[in-house]
Short mmCIF file of all heavy atoms in Angstrom, two decimals:
data_model
loop_
_atom_site.label_atom_id
_atom_site.label_comp_id
_atom_site.label_asym_id
_atom_site.label_seq_id
_atom_site.Cartn_x
_atom_site.Cartn_y
_atom_site.Cartn_z
N MET A 1 3.58 4.39 -25.91
CA MET A 1 3.79 3.32 -24.94
C MET A 1 2.47 2.94 -24.30
O MET A 1 1.79 3.78 -23.70
CB MET A 1 4.78 3.85 -23.88
CG MET A 1 5.20 2.85 -22.85
SD MET A 1 6.68 3.36 -21.93
CE MET A 1 6.53 5.13 -21.79
N LYS A 2 2.09 1.68 -24.44
CA LYS A 2 0.82 1.21 -23.84
C LYS A 2 1.08 0.64 -22.47
O LYS A 2 1.81 -0.34 -22.32
CB LYS A 2 0.21 0.15 -24.75
CG LYS A 2 -0.31 0.69 -26.08
CD LYS A 2 -1.09 -0.38 -26.82
CE LYS A 2 -1.73 0.21 -28.07
NZ LYS A 2 -2.55 -0.78 -28.78
N ILE A 3 0.47 1.27 -21.47
CA ILE A 3 0.73 0.87 -20.08
C ILE A 3 -0.58 0.44 -19.42
O ILE A 3 -1.59 1.17 -19.45
CB ILE A 3 1.35 2.04 -19.29
CG1 ILE A 3 2.65 2.49 -19.95
CG2 ILE A 3 1.59 1.62 -17.84
CD1 ILE A 3 3.30 3.68 -19.27
N LEU A 4 -0.55 -0.73 -18.81
CA LEU A 4 -1.69 -1.25 -18.05
C LEU A 4 -1.39 -1.13 -16.55
O LEU A 4 -0.31 -1.50 -16.10
CB LEU A 4 -1.90 -2.73 -18.38
CG LEU A 4 -2.88 -3.48 -17.46
CD1 LEU A 4 -4.32 -3.04 -17.71
CD2 LEU A 4 -2.74 -4.99 -17.63
N VAL A 5 -2.35 -0.62 -15.81
CA VAL A 5 -2.23 -0.64 -14.34
C VAL A 5 -3.31 -1.57 -13.79
O VAL A 5 -4.50 -1.40 -14.10
CB VAL A 5 -2.36 0.78 -13.75
CG1 VAL A 5 -2.36 0.72 -12.22
CG2 VAL A 5 -1.21 1.65 -14.25
N ILE A 19 1.35 8.69 -14.17
CA ILE A 19 1.85 8.27 -15.49
C ILE A 19 1.33 9.20 -16.57
O ILE A 19 2.06 9.62 -17.48
CB ILE A 19 1.46 6.80 -15.80
CG1 ILE A 19 2.15 5.84 -14.81
CG2 ILE A 19 1.81 6.43 -17.24
CD1 ILE A 19 1.69 4.39 -14.94
N MET A 61 -3.56 -8.62 -22.58
CA MET A 61 -2.41 -7.70 -22.74
C MET A 61 -1.73 -7.96 -24.07
O MET A 61 -1.37 -7.00 -24.78
CB MET A 61 -1.37 -7.95 -21.63
CG MET A 61 -1.73 -7.39 -20.27
SD MET A 61 -0.29 -7.59 -19.18
CE MET A 61 -1.03 -8.34 -17.79
N GLY A 65 -1.38 -5.43 -27.24
CA GLY A 65 -0.01 -4.93 -27.43
C GLY A 65 0.50 -4.09 -26.29
O GLY A 65 1.20 -3.08 -26.48
N ILE A 66 0.15 -4.49 -25.04
CA ILE A 66 0.60 -3.75 -23.85
C ILE A 66 2.13 -3.85 -23.72
O ILE A 66 2.70 -4.94 -23.83
CB ILE A 66 -0.09 -4.33 -22.58
CG1 ILE A 66 -1.61 -4.15 -22.64
CG2 ILE A 66 0.52 -3.76 -21.30
CD1 ILE A 66 -2.11 -2.72 -22.55
N ASP A 67 2.77 -2.69 -23.50
CA ASP A 67 4.25 -2.66 -23.38
C ASP A 67 4.70 -2.83 -21.94
O ASP A 67 5.84 -3.21 -21.70
CB ASP A 67 4.77 -1.30 -23.87
CG ASP A 67 4.46 -1.08 -25.34
OD1 ASP A 67 4.94 -1.90 -26.16
OD2 ASP A 67 3.74 -0.11 -25.67
N LEU A 68 3.84 -2.46 -20.99
CA LEU A 68 4.25 -2.49 -19.58
C LEU A 68 3.02 -2.77 -18.72
O LEU A 68 1.99 -2.12 -18.86
CB LEU A 68 4.84 -1.13 -19.17
CG LEU A 68 5.05 -0.88 -17.67
CD1 LEU A 68 6.10 -1.83 -17.12
CD2 LEU A 68 5.43 0.57 -17.41
N CYS A 69 3.19 -3.74 -17.81
CA CYS A 69 2.13 -4.03 -16.84
C CYS A 69 2.61 -3.54 -15.47
O CYS A 69 3.68 -3.91 -15.02
CB CYS A 69 1.87 -5.53 -16.80
SG CYS A 69 0.80 -6.06 -15.45
N VAL A 70 1.82 -2.67 -14.85
CA VAL A 70 2.16 -2.16 -13.52
C VAL A 70 1.18 -2.76 -12.52
O VAL A 70 -0.04 -2.57 -12.65
CB VAL A 70 2.08 -0.62 -13.48
CG1 VAL A 70 2.36 -0.10 -12.07
CG2 VAL A 70 3.05 0.00 -14.48
N ILE A 92 6.26 -9.77 -21.40
CA ILE A 92 5.76 -8.41 -21.15
C ILE A 92 6.44 -7.88 -19.87
O ILE A 92 6.32 -8.50 -18.81
CB ILE A 92 4.23 -8.42 -20.94
CG1 ILE A 92 3.53 -8.94 -22.20
CG2 ILE A 92 3.72 -7.01 -20.58
CD1 ILE A 92 2.04 -9.19 -22.02
N PRO A 93 7.15 -6.74 -19.95
CA PRO A 93 7.76 -6.18 -18.74
C PRO A 93 6.70 -5.91 -17.68
O PRO A 93 5.63 -5.37 -17.99
CB PRO A 93 8.40 -4.89 -19.23
CG PRO A 93 8.58 -5.05 -20.69
CD PRO A 93 7.46 -5.94 -21.13
N CYS A 94 7.01 -6.33 -16.44
CA CYS A 94 6.04 -6.17 -15.35
C CYS A 94 6.70 -5.43 -14.20
O CYS A 94 7.80 -5.80 -13.78
CB CYS A 94 5.54 -7.54 -14.90
SG CYS A 94 4.36 -7.48 -13.53
N TRP A 95 6.03 -4.41 -13.69
CA TRP A 95 6.51 -3.70 -12.49
C TRP A 95 5.75 -4.28 -11.30
O TRP A 95 4.59 -3.98 -11.08
CB TRP A 95 6.30 -2.20 -12.64
CG TRP A 95 6.90 -1.39 -11.55
CD1 TRP A 95 6.25 -0.58 -10.66
CD2 TRP A 95 8.29 -1.30 -11.22
NE1 TRP A 95 7.16 -0.01 -9.81
CE2 TRP A 95 8.42 -0.42 -10.12
CE3 TRP A 95 9.47 -1.89 -11.75
CZ2 TRP A 95 9.66 -0.12 -9.53
CZ3 TRP A 95 10.69 -1.57 -11.15
CH2 TRP A 95 10.77 -0.70 -10.07
N ALA A 307 6.49 7.62 -16.40
CA ALA A 307 6.13 6.54 -17.34
C ALA A 307 7.41 5.83 -17.82
O ALA A 307 7.50 4.60 -17.75
CB ALA A 307 5.33 7.10 -18.51
N LEU A 310 9.19 3.85 -15.03
CA LEU A 310 8.63 2.53 -14.73
C LEU A 310 8.92 1.52 -15.85
O LEU A 310 9.25 0.36 -15.59
CB LEU A 310 7.14 2.62 -14.51
CG LEU A 310 6.66 3.41 -13.28
CD1 LEU A 310 5.13 3.46 -13.24
CD2 LEU A 310 7.20 2.80 -11.99
N PHE A 311 8.83 2.00 -17.09
CA PHE A 311 9.04 1.11 -18.23
C PHE A 311 10.48 0.60 -18.24
O PHE A 311 10.74 -0.61 -18.36
CB PHE A 311 8.71 1.87 -19.52
CG PHE A 311 8.83 1.06 -20.76
CD1 PHE A 311 8.21 -0.18 -20.88
CD2 PHE A 311 9.55 1.54 -21.85
CE1 PHE A 311 8.32 -0.94 -22.05
CE2 PHE A 311 9.67 0.79 -23.02
CZ PHE A 311 9.05 -0.44 -23.11
N GLU A 312 11.43 1.51 -18.09
CA GLU A 312 12.84 1.10 -18.09
C GLU A 312 13.15 0.22 -16.89
O GLU A 312 13.88 -0.76 -16.99
CB GLU A 312 13.75 2.34 -18.09
CG GLU A 312 13.69 3.16 -19.37
CD GLU A 312 14.14 2.36 -20.61
OE1 GLU A 312 15.08 1.54 -20.47
OE2 GLU A 312 13.53 2.54 -21.67
N ALA A 314 11.13 -1.77 -15.23
CA ALA A 314 10.55 -3.11 -15.41
C ALA A 314 11.41 -3.95 -16.35
O ALA A 314 11.44 -5.18 -16.26
CB ALA A 314 9.12 -3.01 -15.91
N LYS A 315 12.13 -3.28 -17.26
CA LYS A 315 13.02 -4.00 -18.17
C LYS A 315 14.40 -4.21 -17.58
O LYS A 315 15.27 -4.80 -18.22
CB LYS A 315 13.14 -3.23 -19.50
CG LYS A 315 11.85 -3.25 -20.32
CD LYS A 315 12.05 -2.70 -21.72
CE LYS A 315 12.45 -1.23 -21.66
NZ LYS A 315 12.80 -0.69 -23.00
#
Side-chain angles (χ1 to χ4, degrees):
M1 185 164 34
K2 291 189 174 183
I3 302 178
L4 168 72
V5 175
I19 295 174
M61 284 187 230
I66 296 293
D67 298 300
L68 167 66
C69 170
V70 177
I92 300 171
C94 179
W95 187 242
L310 294 178
F311 183 50
E312 293 299 323
K315 290 190 296 174

